[in-house]
Every structure is written in C-alpha cells, then in structure tokens.
Amino acid sequence: MLFAFYVQFHGDYSPGGGFQAGVIMAVGIIIYGIVFDMEHAKKVLPPWFVHKMLAFGVLLYTFTGVISFFRGQNFLDYSALSRHSPTHGQHYGILIIELGVGITVSGVMIAIFYAFASRTSEINDAEW
Amino acid sequence: MINWEFIIGHLNYWFFIVLMMTGLYIVIAKGNLVKKVVGLNIFQTSVFMFYISIGKVIGGTAPIFPVDMKIDNNIVYSNPLPHVLILTAIVVGVATTSLALALIVRIREEYGTIEEDEIFIIEHELDSSNKTPNTYKENGHF
Amino acid sequence: MLSGVFSLLSALLLITLDAVDVAFTEAAVGAGISIVLMLSTLTLTSRREKKSKNSNLIPLMIVIITGVTLTYGTLDMPNFGAADTPSQIHVAREYIKRTPEDIHIPNIVTAVLGSYRGYDTLGETAVIFTAGIGVLLILGRLSLRPRRRAKKIEKVL
C-alpha cells in the first residue's frame, strides 16, 4: 500500500504513475482478500465505496480539463492551473490526473475482483 | 551472399510474428472459450513487444532525465511514445480481458458449458423449440 | 502459473528494451491481477477442456499463410534499433526536446502520458471505467435479470 502511494506521487521522477499505482493498490486489497477472507476485505473497503471510486477518478480527470476552460485555455491544458508559471501548472495537472487515473484503475480492479470472488463456485471437488 | 545485418535486424519482427501466430492459432483452433481468451492475450502481448521494439534505439537508454534536470545532449533516449501507448494498453487489456472472462462465467452459468460447439447445439435447440416470438413473451423474455 | 511466468519474462524483455515504465506495469499486472482472474474463472467454469473433434489442419494452414504474409511485410521494415527510422524522427524527437522546457519533469513517459497526450489517457481511463461497469453489470449485484433461461435450457436437455 505504501509502495503504491510512493509510485503514485513519485511518478514524475522515476518509473511509475497512476496506472501502476492503481494496479499495485488493487493487488494489495486482492491479496488481503485471498489470505484472509472476502468478508474481511469487504470490511476494509466496502463495495459501495469501490463503486464510488470508479466514477470519482474519471470525474477528477475531466474536471481538471474543464478548469482550464474557465482560465481561458484549451481543454486539458494544465498551464492554466498555476498563476505563476506554466511549468508549475503542468506539474499540478499531471499530479492530479495521475491521481484520477490511479483511483479509477484501482477501483475497477478491486470491483472486478469482488465480482468474481463473490460468485459461488458451481464446480464439484471431484473435478479438481 | 547472405546479408547478416539484415537478418539480425529483422529477427525481432520474426519472433513477434511467431508469437502472434501462436495466439492466432489458439484463437482459431481451440473450442474452449477460456483458451480463446488466453490466445488473445498472447496475441496482444506480441503486439506490445512489437511496438516497444520499434521504439528502441541501439545505444539509447530509458527515457528519464536525471532528477537535477542537468541534461546531457549526448545521451540518446529511446522513443517514449510507444511506451506511453503500451503502458495504457496493458491496463486496458486487463480490464477488457476481465470483461471477456465475466461473459464466459455467465455463459457457463446459463448453458452449463464453455465449449463452443456445445453452445451452438444448445442455441439451435432453443431456436427450434420456440419458433414464434409469442412463446418467448409468455415465458417472460421480453 | 504459466501465465505468471510469461508476464515476468515479458517484463524482463521490456527492461532490456529500455521500457522501464511498461515493464513495471506488466510485472504488477501479471503478478497480481491476471493470475487471480484466470484462476477464479477456471474455478467458476470447468477445469478440463473437451477434446476437439475438428481437424487442426485448416487453422494451421490459415496461421502459416498469415505468418508468411506478415514476414513478407517485414522485409521493408527498418533494422532493429536504427535511429533514423520514421518512428524516431517525427514527434518522438520533439517530445524529448521539449519536455524539459515545457513541463520540467524528468520522466518523459509521464509527461507525454499526462500532458501531450492527455486526451488519449482520458479515453483510456474511460475505457477501463466502462469495462469495470460492464463486469459489474454482468457478474455483480447490479444485474437484476431473472434466471429463467437457465431453467429452459435444462428442459431442452
């Protein structure tokens, strides 16, 4: 989990970013769910919260783009985000959208895992 | 007479073609739906590799500047563009694969099998047993 | 298990090709998610494959023909690692040159991903989002469809 956050916010400087961080985050929850129980994992991160995460990430991304409109720039032009210098704006912009991507990716992966793992198996033990 | 430079320079493409054809063969020849998805994954990986190998420059390094941003103009960097495309494509690939697997799970629950030919047989019998749409309506399908 | 080995090997190959970001993603995805997904699908469906009755000759022919055609296509491709190929001299050079001035962050991949190709990434995120919603609709509690068809299938059999 800590590693996921490191990857998320350090993505500017070293390999990493929202996609990787989201996946690693999801893997953390998934392994927790496997080692302990689905019920425990669902207590840590309830499904309704995961579903909110899905949508929130995409909204955060789009919203960042829309802010540039109000500052008189093109859609997703992060130079508008900072009053001092365009490069600072680019920094903030990339950080925020990577966060949006990370939230969506981890939300989707965890939701998929919950969906698959909540199904009861129809297979009988003899077949294994 | 043989142009060795040409052959070595093109070996990477040929490896990826072999990998891609393996995936294609699995998709065509196997009846099991899960195996088809595995074949698609292999196919996908070969395309990823192909992209990344296009972006490679011999003598180049990973496209990351030093942290202090002192840029040495003599360093050759590999092409970052394919990396970006493939980076997102991998994650998208997992998401779409899981969608396919979810569909397979549902098919298994409805039909009791994931073999392609058995599904065809069941579909055919379903069609021939209910020829008019009225019977569908009575059974609550619409 | 083999799929895990496959993705680990892919990640190593990607590192040798200078694509550290991609290798990282592949390793994370392959180590955690794809194996779990595959195994849970196999648990939910059946483990053994039934023997296929169709002959393998026709698929083999198609595959060989396609492979030969593709190989013929590669004869015009530039050599591996050459620096003067079309893919290296257009936008890629521009990105590498302008990233320090425009964005001032060291990782060019992140810069291109987030800023120069922000639309692409927004689209990709939307695709992932849609796939997630799709899985939830098919498997999750969001699906409210009754299971009448299953009963009918039993009757037919």
Side-chain angles (χ1 to χ4, degrees), chain A residues 6-7 10-17, chain B residues 64-65 67, chain C residues 20-21 24 106-107 110:
Chain A
Y6 169 76
V7 171
H10 216 255
D12 291 2
Y13 301 103
S14 58
Chain B
I64 297 174
F65 294 129
V67 182
Chain C
V20 274
D21 276 277
F24 194 2
N107 191 347
T110 307

Side-chain angles (χ1 to χ4, degrees), chain A residues 89-104:
Chain A
Q90 294 280 356
H91 272 255
Y92 297 144
I94 289 177
L95 214 59
I96 295 171
I97 63 133
E98 291 276 6
L99 190 63
V101 169
I103 292 172
T104 305

